[in-house]
Amino acid sequence: LPSPTRFVLPDKAGSFSYSISHMNNMIMLNYKLCLNKTTFLQNEYEYLKAFYNEVIKKEAEPLVLTVNQTNENTNETGTY
């Protein structure tokens, strides 16, 4: 599973948190993007751009699911 992540903009202008867990044959994804400001100044744009680039990179991470299946006839295990 992908590792949990948290990003915070300077002055707590925004935050992003992402975590994923597996329990009882269920996958739980917690994702929160919060912007505490509606307007960013020109000198803050570099931080905002880097923040969104990290968010996009995290969202693009693949989540690979595998299923172990036993073939009763040959007793082999296959992974999909």
Side-chain angles (χ1 to χ4, degrees), residues 9 12-16 33-38 40 48 51-52:
L9 282 168
K12 298 181 182 178
S15 63
F16 169 76
L33 177 63
C34 181
L35 293 176
N36 300 319
K37 291 174 60 172
T38 56
F40 289 85
L48 187 62
F51 175 80
Y52 272 105

Side-chain angles (χ1 to χ4, degrees), residues 22 32 49 54 75:
H22 174 258
K32 184 177 181 181
K49 183 178 178 182
E54 290 299 318
N75 202 20

